[in-house]
Amino acid sequence: MSAVQGIGVGERQLGADGRPPRRTGRAGTRRTTPYLLLLPGMAWLAVFFVVPLFTLLSTSTQTRPEGAEIGVYTQTFRFANYVDTLEEYAVVFGRSFFYALIATLLALAISYPLAYAIAFKAGRWRNVLLVLVVAPFFVSFLLRTIAWKQILADDAWVADAMRFLHLIGPQTHIINSAPAVVIGITYNFLPFMILPIYASLERVDPRLIEAAGDLYANGLTALRKVTFPLSLPGVVAGTLLTFIPAAGDYINAALLGNRNTTMVGNVIDARFLKVVDYPTAAVLSVTLMASILVLVAFYIRRAGTEELV
Amino acid sequence: MSATAPAPAPPARPTRAGIATRSSRWLSRNAVRIYAVLAFAYLFVPVVYTFAYSFNDSGKSNLNWRGFTTDKWAAPCAAPDVCPALVNSVKIGLVATAIATVLGTMVAFALARHRFRGRTATNLTIFLPMATPEIVLGASLLALFLNMGVSLGTNTIVIAHVMFCISFVIVTVKARLASLDPRLEQAAMDLYADEMQTFRRITLPLVAPGIMAGALLAFSLSFDDFIITNFNSGDVNTFPKFIWVSSLRGIPAQANVIASAMFFLALAAVVLGQLIVGRRKT
Amino acid sequence: MSTGGQVADRASSGGRDLRLDHVTKRFGGFVAVDDLSLTIPSGSFFALLGPSGCGKTTTLRMVAGLEEPTEGSIHIGDDDVTFAKPYKRPVNTVFQSYALFPHLDIFENVAFGLRRRGAKDVRRQVEEALELVELAAMARRKPAQLSGGQQQRVALARAIVNRPAVLLLDEPLGALDLKLRRQMQVELKRIQTEVGLTFVHVTHDQEEAMTMADTIAVMNQGRVEQQGGPGELYESPATTFAANFLGQSNLIHAAVTGNQGADLLLDVQGHRLAMPVDRRNSGDDDLLIGVRPEKIRLNRADADGGERKPAGQGTDGKQNVLPGGVVTDASFTGVSTQYLVRMPWGQELMVFAQNLGVDGVVPPGTPVDLQWDPAHTFGLDGSADATAGVEHDEGVQPAPVG
């Protein structure tokens, strides 16, 4: 037996000419190919996503030197920036997460039955319905949000109907209020909730539900004990995909809200683009990002990273 | 019925359930369908409004209904700035889509077909932009540009768009690749096709729908993007940015016209795509 | 330029044997193929038979070039193809899942290999191949429009049209229903004889292997247990695995007591039996003797049984007889009746009685004697595992220890 054999896995016998056989590179095993393929895309993300996050971090600890012009800041590692800013905007943060949470729950409540209907009751119309779910989002979301402004206006039919049913008083506004903002946010992120849930439900083998029926479960019990647990990955994905952008949204608050419905996004926008107070904006952004990362970390610990992409 | 034998008793008529029982039964059977209709109505109301108001004989502001007219449709570019902004959006969309699709497809191939070190870090870097609020993406990129002294304009918009589109392209193409049976490529090599030929004749045609889907997704994300664009555009106007800026003074109905037109175009494209896929299967 | 290369251009069996020398394949710590050496003569129909996980598919893939051996070499004729890429070998594969290209029609699927090699006269060759598998009418359809059986034939045509030196078939009939499978077995054999290529057929179905192959190699846990013609393997298995995996065997412990001419004398539970010396197969004096169920005759030992043969007769016209059995199960399958007979020492033996329409089914509970011609006995090592190769439920084999 060749002396090579003792060397363990992967070593080959020497060829007839005494030289180790040339390592044949077939598709998928050549060493450099994957790295070359990854390089441009990941480099782009590294430079324009990862680095900016660090830039943000660095900006968050800067301060304006005495007498400097507007917009000029120097790095002073002032971590007290965080304390100051968060103290001032704690309420805004809380409100943002609160609105996002309500919106997410509402979206879940609205989306789950719809996704269920499409997955199980649609038959041949399934693809059509899926297109119809996504279709509204072919219209610019700004225009749709402005449409909500019109729909919920004081003199429009929704307000009139609600007043007629005595659900709201004659003086109450629906528009320019917190509920309007939440309605807007919910609406904006519906497909992000519907589609993952649908994808999950679609994978449920309908024979499992039949089996549940065979084992004496009625419709609701089957839903509770069989269908819903199986669709949980989709629900989790949808929840994350809705809550995270919702927390950072500011369009709905700007168009549909009032002075008291300011969200974190509005403040960051104002601080960055109008008041030119970069450190404060950076602190808020970093904090928002950090809270999101905590959520994502929870998710990863349970599911690993392969499922993410 | 024999005339001689005693007539058998008439069959007992099934008692008709009361209206309440019948309608509650009908309700529970159709509850899901009724709900679906309501849900879709909810989804489409803003779209209907947008479309309707494109026919509004609006003055400066398009918030109140003044009268029906097709003037806006006849002259969609009449309002200043609308069409240039639209053109910008399309141009930027095309460039960003092209770059993001190429880069993203390469990464998807690496992920789906190869082994390499640093997989976890790669997955995370791809996933995070999708999970980050747009405002953080936009603001951080702006911070970078400011720190580097880069002037804002079309280029920075394209850079930003490519950045957040790549991840979506990767996810879409990778999913398609994953569903591609690797034995097909093995069969091709078994039948004398080398790596290049296998890729060109087997892999690429079969992945193409996924790449197309990724490209379309990238384009729609780019076209409709506002928040990130707003932070990184300087003076350049894109269609969504135009809408936002003019929402303070009054959005011209032409914007509704264009948005409606894009809606129908996109809808037609999707329907066409579905039909083609359906036809190809037969 | 044809990337098939010169090796593939000379594609025709043309007298080139397939030779595997000491081929080993390890995946991490797991040995899938263990020092395998085989020579498959050109133009033969060769079967690699074994349960799932025995390494037969891995071996096939190494011949195809889709895996690289950890050790050893593979030669086709004089050419060393051990590390050659799949597209450089004169080998084609019919995959278990057919692997037809879904975006190409049947014609282009079959033409694929020809086109890559730059062959002339593609149209005629493709049409011939489709004729051979009787699918000429489907040339312009897409794979998704064909049934499983039709797809399998397209996969076959696609491989055969290239006239490779070796044609590999990876359990190609697995997805077909019984009747279709039987039909295709006959078809494949016919095509192989007609075209004259070397076929290497991998399967876990021993009936299939025996029907189709000229030579069978029985594999277990990465090694070849026995190799030979179907008749030889069946009537003279060399290991308990081969005895149990191919058909079924009754394996009974016996002690060698002496010789008598050309016969070996045995003692089984106090009864004197005999078997030909040249079928002994083991140096031990403690043997497992085997006899196939269909070779045994069931003699009723009750009042209806007629004259009883005396127990424990030797050879020269006399029979081996084991008395004292009781029928515990009788399954009438139409063609035969399969009996389980419990012997006095507790072992249950199988007997298959052909349905000659002469005797009725012997009911359970009947006392019987078992009788067979000593020449049908084969011997195996007494210390071997008598249960090796016995099929478990639905092919769930215990995973090989890695």
Side-chain angles (χ1 to χ4, degrees):
Chain A
M1 285 301 201
S2 151
V4 169
Q5 290 218 348
I7 300 181
V9 174
E11 292 301 315
R12 289 197 237 294
Q13 231 176 21
L14 296 179
D17 55 359
R19 285 189 282 128
R22 188 173 55 86
R23 189 191 165 82
T24 51
R26 65 188 51 178
T29 60
R30 229 194 337 240
R31 290 278 166 68
T32 52
T33 312
Y35 298 103
L36 288 174
L37 287 174
L38 287 172
L39 187 62
M42 299 312 291
W44 197 288
L45 282 176
V47 172
F48 298 115
F49 170 67
V50 181
V51 170
L53 287 179
F54 285 102
T55 314
L56 208 60
L57 255 172
S58 126
T59 310
S60 69
T61 56
Q62 293 176 355
T63 49
R64 173 132 63 97
E66 280 298 321
E69 307 169 358
I70 304 251
V72 173
Y73 293 92
T74 51
Q75 181 57 266
T76 56
F77 297 108
R78 185 169 181 269
F79 287 96
N81 277 352
Y82 278 86
V83 181
D84 295 342
T85 311
L86 291 176
E87 251 178 19
E88 191 178 343
Y89 293 107
V91 176
V92 175
F93 254 110
R95 189 188 298 142
S96 304
F97 287 131
F98 180 64
Y99 288 176
L101 186 64
I102 305 290
T104 305
L105 292 174
L106 274 177
L108 183 59
I110 297 176
S111 304
Y112 199 94
L114 188 57
Y116 189 92
I118 301 179
F120 293 116
K121 308 269 184 197
R124 312 174 286 130
W125 297 103
R126 196 188 272 201
N127 280 338
V128 174
L129 289 182
L130 282 175
V131 171
L132 284 182
V133 163
V134 181
F137 300 84
F138 296 153
V139 176
S140 165
F141 81 98
L142 287 170
L143 282 175
R144 281 180 291 124
T145 313
I146 289 171
W148 274 112
K149 228 170 129 118
Q150 295 171 298
I151 299 170
L152 297 176
D154 287 335
D155 49 355
W157 53 280
V158 174
D160 281 346
M162 290 187 76
R163 264 180 232 127
F164 179 75
L165 293 170
H166 292 289
L167 288 171
I168 55 172
Q171 298 300 334
T172 335
H173 303 283
I174 309 182
I175 194 63
N176 294 325
S177 68
V181 175
V182 174
I183 289 177
I185 297 177
T186 311
Y187 178 81
N188 261 318
F189 295 108
L190 272 177
F192 293 101
M193 184 66 89
I194 297 179
L195 292 176
I197 296 181
Y198 166 78
S200 241
L201 281 173
E202 199 235 345
R203 269 185 236 134
V204 172
D205 188 343
R207 289 172 298 184
L208 290 174
I209 306 179
E210 285 176 2
D214 183 74
L215 292 165
Y216 315 112
N218 66 25
L220 265 161
T221 314
L223 178 64
R224 210 161 44 88
K225 294 243 169 224
V226 178
T227 316
F228 185 77
L230 287 173
S231 67
L232 217 41
V235 171
V236 172
T239 311
L240 277 179
L241 283 174
T242 305
F243 182 82
I244 291 172
D249 181 74
Y250 67 97
I251 307 292
N252 288 285
L255 289 174
L256 302 172
N258 56 44
R259 274 196 328 261
N260 296 324
T261 62
T262 322
M263 292 172 70
V264 170
N266 300 87
V267 180
I268 297 178
D269 175 58
R271 294 278 127 191
F272 239 113
L273 299 178
K274 299 190 187 97
V275 182
V276 197
D277 177 5
Y278 299 142
T280 310
V283 166
L284 291 169
S285 304
V286 169
T287 314
L288 182 61
M289 184 71 187
S291 358
I292 305 290
L293 282 178
V294 166
L295 260 177
V296 170
F298 262 120
Y299 181 81
I300 291 181
R301 281 192 59 205
R302 305 203 69 195
T305 61
E306 279 305 316
E307 289 289 317
L308 288 181
V309 286
Chain B
M1 288 261 233
S2 154
T4 49
R13 287 187 59 205
T15 50
R16 276 177 74 90
I19 296 241
T21 332
R22 271 188 296 133
S23 50
S24 79
R25 236 184 264 159
W26 182 88
L27 209 67
S28 63
R29 250 203 316 239
N30 288 291
V32 183
R33 277 191 210 116
I34 297 174
Y35 174 79
V37 169
L38 288 174
F40 275 110
Y42 171 63
L43 279 174
F44 272 91
V45 163
V47 176
V48 170
Y49 259 76
T50 307
F51 183 54
Y53 273 75
S54 68
F55 293 103
N56 187 18
D57 187 12
S58 66
K60 286 200 77 180
S61 141
N62 200 11
L63 283 175
N64 299 301
W65 185 259
R66 298 257 293 265
F68 185 92
T69 173
T70 54
D71 287 351
K72 318 294 174 176
W73 279 89
C77 290
D81 299 330
V82 174
C83 285
L86 178 65
V87 169
N88 273 343
S89 279
V90 173
K91 276 201 299 199
I92 291 172
L94 288 174
V95 175
T97 299
I99 301 177
T101 306
V102 170
L103 263 45
T105 303
M106 288 167 67
V107 173
F109 266 93
L111 280 174
R113 284 271 183 275
H114 296 247
R115 283 175 310 189
F116 56 91
R117 308 262 286 277
R119 238 195 150 86
T120 312
T122 307
N123 283 337
L124 212 52
T125 311
I126 296 172
F127 171 71
L128 280 177
M130 292 191 285
T132 311
E134 293 203 26
I135 191 144
V136 175
L137 287 176
S140 59
L141 202 51
L142 177 62
L144 180 75
F145 288 143
L146 289 173
N147 267 297
M148 310 286 292
V150 176
S151 64
L152 305 173
T154 314
N155 292 336
T156 50
I157 303 180
V158 170
I159 290 176
H161 284 201
V162 172
M163 179 267 292
F164 71 76
C165 285
I166 288 186
S167 304
F168 290 96
V169 173
I170 294 176
V171 171
T172 313
V173 176
K174 186 181 170 229
R176 178 77 189 178
L177 263 178
S179 71
L180 192 61
D181 189 352
R183 281 170 297 195
L184 290 175
E185 289 158 328
Q186 291 172 5
M189 296 222 283
D190 179 79
L191 291 164
Y192 313 113
D194 64 23
E195 284 90 347
M196 213 47 246
Q197 293 178 323
T198 304
F199 179 76
R200 215 160 40 88
R201 292 186 181 275
I202 304 297
T203 317
L204 209 52
L206 290 172
V207 179
I211 300 181
M212 269 316 312
L216 283 172
L217 186 58
F219 184 82
S220 22
L221 287 172
S222 160
F223 189 86
D224 201 31
D225 179 69
F226 168 66
I227 298 181
I228 301 180
T229 311
N230 196 29
F231 274 90
N232 292 288
S233 52
D235 294 326
V236 175
N237 239 354
T238 62
F239 190 62
K241 190 173 165 193
F242 167 78
I243 296 178
W244 173 258
V245 168
S246 50
S247 72
L248 303 169
R249 340 180 223 104
I251 303 177
Q254 275 84 357
N256 290 47
V257 169
I258 292 182
S260 307
M262 302 242 44
F263 171 76
F264 287 115
L265 216 74
L267 197 59
V270 170
V271 170
L272 205 71
Q274 293 274 355
L275 285 176
I276 292 181
V277 167
R279 185 91 48 73
R280 221 199 261 149
K281 291 233 159 98
T282 52
Chain C
M1 195 199 94
S2 158
T3 54
Q6 288 160 324
V7 173
D9 276 346
R10 280 188 276 120
S12 74
S13 280
R16 287 190 288 170
D17 295 344
L18 172 64
R19 203 174 78 239
L20 284 79
D21 291 311
H22 299 291
V23 171
T24 301
K25 178 69 182 173
R26 284 190 212 101
F27 292 105
F30 171 58
V31 183
V33 176
D34 195 352
D35 195 29
L36 188 81
S37 293
L38 281 175
T39 302
I40 296 167
S42 157
S44 67
F45 198 127
F46 192 92
L48 274 178
L49 173 67
S52 19
C54 72
K56 55 192 193 297
T57 300
T58 312
T59 307
L60 204 74
R61 287 171 64 85
M62 286 193 283
V63 175
L66 300 171
E67 300 276 359
E68 285 180 357
T70 318
E71 285 164 28
S73 69
I74 302 176
H75 286 78
I76 298 182
D78 294 328
D79 298 314
D80 182 345
V81 296
T82 318
F83 299 110
K85 304 236 195 155
Y87 49 86
K88 289 222 155 72
R89 306 185 188 207
V91 177
N92 292 122
T93 310
V94 179
F95 291 83
Q96 189 172 6
S97 62
Y98 318 139
L100 298 181
F101 305 128
H103 59 299
L104 301 176
D105 63 23
I106 300 304
F107 186 96
E108 286 303 326
N109 260 285
V110 177
F112 192 84
L114 294 173
R115 293 206 193 280
R116 297 291 83 73
R117 284 166 43 218
K120 307 284 179 289
D121 205 9
V122 170
R123 187 189 197 94
R124 183 187 58 84
Q125 295 188 61
V126 171
E127 282 171 2
E128 256 178 32
L130 287 175
E131 287 282 340
L132 194 62
V133 297
E134 293 168 17
L135 280 178
M138 303 286 186
R140 288 302 165 191
R141 300 247 186 113
K142 287 270 180 66
Q145 297 171 277
L146 267 53
S147 72
Q150 290 170 327
Q151 289 183 12
Q152 197 264 354
R153 284 187 276 158
V154 173
L156 186 62
R158 182 174 75 172
I160 281 187
V161 77
N162 301 289
R163 296 291 187 271
V166 180
L167 185 68
L168 304 173
L169 300 106
D170 187 2
E171 307 214 43
L173 307 181
L176 304 176
D177 62 56
L178 191 61
K179 254 188 135 174
L180 196 54
R181 211 183 311 161
R182 294 224 191 284
Q183 211 177 312
M184 281 310 303
Q185 284 168 7
V186 174
E187 275 299 300
L188 276 176
K189 183 72 190 171
R190 173 184 72 80
I191 292 174
Q192 191 266 341
T193 326
E194 207 173 299
V195 174
L197 301 176
T198 310
F199 274 33
V200 178
H201 182 120
V202 157
T203 179
H204 64 273
D205 183 334
Q206 37 100 7
E207 265 188 47
E208 189 167 288
M210 290 206 285
T211 314
M212 297 165 66
D214 303 326
T215 316
I216 305 177
V218 178
M219 281 185 73
N220 185 30
Q221 298 191 336
R223 300 167 170 260
V224 173
E225 294 253 340
Q226 190 178 356
Q227 181 179 336
E232 178 195 332
L233 283 180
Y234 188 77
E235 303 296 359
S236 308
T239 67
T240 52
F241 184 87
N244 286 322
F245 193 79
L246 270 170
Q248 286 166 298
S249 300
N250 292 304
L251 296 176
I252 311 169
H253 279 284
V256 176
T257 54
N259 282 36
Q260 190 180 54
D263 291 333
L264 197 62
L265 295 177
L266 306 161
D267 177 283
V268 175
Q269 304 288 335
H271 303 296
R272 211 177 70 147
L273 302 180
M275 71 179 273
V277 159
D278 54 10
R279 288 173 68 78
R280 178 175 177 166
N281 246 338
S282 162
D284 268 7
D285 278 341
D286 173 29
L287 291 180
L288 272 173
I289 58 164
V291 56
R292 298 278 185 189
E294 71 276 4
K295 305 290 197 296
I296 303 180
R297 201 192 134 128
L298 213 59
N299 291 333
R300 298 181 75 138
D302 53 5
D304 309 329
E307 188 191 308
R308 282 184 82 173
K309 267 216 143 51
Q313 292 287 330
T315 49
D316 44 274
K318 308 223 175 107
Q319 299 277 302
N320 279 338
V321 177
L322 284 176
V326 177
V327 176
T328 55
D329 189 71
S331 300
F332 175 64
T333 65
V335 166
S336 62
T337 308
Q338 302 187 353
Y339 293 101
L340 280 177
V341 179
R342 186 180 299 281
M343 304 308 290
W345 62 91
Q347 188 177 3
E348 264 189 345
L349 301 179
M350 290 178 284
V351 179
F352 296 165
Q354 191 178 352
N355 182 7
L356 294 169
V358 175
D359 309 311
V361 172
V362 178
T366 317
V368 291
D369 295 341
L370 301 185
Q371 169 192 329
W372 71 92
D373 185 338
H376 290 146
T377 323
F378 54 87
L380 297 168
D381 234 11
S383 53
D385 177 7
T387 60
V390 176
E391 299 271 332
H392 298 277
D393 300 309
E394 293 294 299
V396 175
Q397 302 285 342
V401 176

